[in-house]
Amino acid sequence: MRTTAPRCLDAGEAALVVEFGDSVDPAISAEVLALDAALRAAPLAGIVETVPTYRSLMIHYDPLALTRAALVAHVEALERAAQESAAPSVRWIIPCCYAPPHGEDLAAAGEALSLSPERIAELHSGADFRAYMYGFAPGWCYLGGLPSALAVPRRASPRGPTPRGAVLIGGGLSLIGADPMPTGWYVLGRTPERLFAPERDPSFFVEVGDALRFEPIDEATFRALEEKGARGEMIARRETTR
Amino acid sequence: MSARLILRAVGPGVTLQDAGRRGSLRFGVTPAGPMDARAFAAANLAAGAALGAAAIEVSLGGLELTAEGETIGLAIAGGEFDIRLDGAPLPFACALSLEPGARLTIRAGRSGAWCYVAIAGRIDLPPTLGSLATHTRSFMGGLEGRGLRAGDVLPLADIISPPRELLALEAPWLAASEEPIRAVLGPQADYFSQEAIGEFLSARWRVGQRSDRMAYRLEGGRLAHAKGHDIVSDGVALGAIQVPGDGAPLVLMADRQPTGGYPKIANVIGADIGRLAQRRPGEAFSFSTVSIEQAVAARRALGEAIGAGVRLRAVGGEISTELLLSANLIGGVADAYRPLDKE
């Protein structure tokens, strides 16, 4: 239960930041996601779109259609009515190949964590994750729920571009990448699923706030699923949690 | 033969832009869209195109193009670029007919960093996530998600009749101004000391050479943090002035990421972001702060000015033609970040 109300900060005259805290914390994230869900369930004319992050919700709005005061009042009313936290209603099962050649940085992460590569894969695929936010590039999805045994700091200097669909850890979080990018995180494996596929409908399917689990697959399964994905089919499985 | 534009010479940084890609910020998608939404709107108004229609954004690198298939109406607005039709100089803001074989040349001129070539018709390319706006870092929009280059062909559709004569374009909101760039303090102004905020407001800033569509890097001062420079990522709005560890501010522009992890001392107001965008590397300016109410008033005034339309005047002729195009302009015009409904 929260003891203090969120802060409303201005990012210019067309964006309001509703800030619940200044750290990466499951309880803070849950409050952000609950407000985001409440706003999407009770949309207000003049709200353009919302961007949830670990600790705050940015509300882009048209100040000529919706005054700041009316927006803040709406947010405060939703806050008072909001559940303590909105539990995820959807869980995605994301296949992930931790085996060579895909677990590129398992050995390096194992050294940093004093764990065997097998144990890292076991801990990672046994964890319940939640999509905290997207950022960095389209389809790069940051996940909370990483077991503390896997909390490795980011690398001192970035590694080369990640493979497509990289599954990574760093800074106490996990992350699914989309297009290749250099990163300071560790690549534990790869998913044949694409969190962003512009030609597919929907282009994105994991919503911020959804639950996720990784399902270990071998290299042969990875190749078969990757071909399926290339035909535009969805690979991840959807489960309802309530 | 179907109508098309052939790009004969293209400088670096020339892209296709429409009003921008909205609705997917939450999935990490950059909005892109025009650097100067005011000039973009003026060009589309003068061309008779939809307000948010895709246009060519021309950088200081310049552009040369020809038409094929039919005579194409074009309108140009933005900085004071050097515009020539088969070598003959044109007003830097104008509407014209480009006949097959004629060559339109646009080069950096006296001032301004961007100009827009809008088309009396529609660029017939498939949108990505509902938009043609090019974002090269995520390979999205435009032609194959990249900047335009020599040899590119832009297929056109829904051609509307071109102007019968050369018309100079007049729009009061495009006039250059030496007034400070206005900003609203926050959302992390409390990460800076009063001295740093004082320096932010008193310094003469210059746009750095390494500036691009993503960010304008500012030179001319260092802003010290009072509470460290690493914050947990939060949302980033257009015009956010973020200050990384070295104290040199960056203003986040059209190609910004939707989230970021540096403290933001202030945010340039919507009405002034296009003015800042038109500053060239090396050009100096200063900031002033305004209240949210003043920022909203400036936004409303700009929206109303754009809503009143542009004036097109025959060059050298007696005939005065006025084109006043006012679709549903409530709020959205000054905001390149919301696609406007075509009515």
Side-chain angles (χ1 to χ4, degrees), chain A residues 9-10 12-13 22 36 40 49-51 53-56 58 60 62-64 134 136-139 196 203-204 206, chain B residues 22-29 129 140 186-187 190 231-236 257 259 267 269-270 292 295 299 331 338:
Chain A
L9 307 171
D10 294 299
E13 80 282 12
D22 57 7
D36 184 45
R40 279 153 71 86
E49 58 187 302
T50 56
V51 184
T53 65
Y54 303 122
R55 64 191 186 101
S56 64
M58 177 169 271
H60 293 273
D62 175 354
L64 303 188
Y134 284 82
F136 189 47
F196 170 47
S203 297
F204 303 90
V206 175
Chain B
R22 289 315 293 257
S24 301
L25 293 180
R26 60 170 44 243
F27 296 114
V29 176
L129 300 179
M140 235 183 254
D190 57 344
I231 61 166
V232 172
S233 281
D234 69 348
V236 170
Q257 292 170 343
T259 58
N267 207 106
I269 70 170
I292 293 286
R299 190 184 189 91
R338 193 180 70 174

Side-chain angles (χ1 to χ4, degrees), chain A residues 62-130:
Chain A
D62 175 354
L64 303 188
L66 172 64
T67 65
R68 181 192 194 275
L71 175 58
V72 169
H74 186 64
V75 165
E76 285 172 350
L78 288 177
E79 265 301 297
R80 279 194 297 274
Q83 300 296 314
E84 191 171 328
S85 71
S89 57
V90 171
R91 179 192 290 126
W92 296 99
I93 308 299
I94 309 275
C96 176
C97 183
Y98 298 94
H102 300 307
E104 293 180 16
D105 301 334
L106 268 179
E111 239 170 76
L113 292 165
S114 307
L115 291 172
S116 69
E118 293 74 25
R119 182 66 186 145
I120 292 177
E122 195 178 287
L123 284 167
H124 191 262
S125 61
D128 283 302
F129 291 103
R130 189 169 194 197

Side-chain angles (χ1 to χ4, degrees), chain B residues 94-109:
Chain B
C94 61
L96 68 142
S97 294
L98 186 64
E99 292 171 5
R103 184 171 291 242
L104 180 70
T105 309
I106 302 174
R107 291 203 180 85

Side-chain angles (χ1 to χ4, degrees), chain A residues 76 109 137 145 165 172 218 242:
Chain A
E76 285 172 350
D218 60 20
R242 63 175 186 219

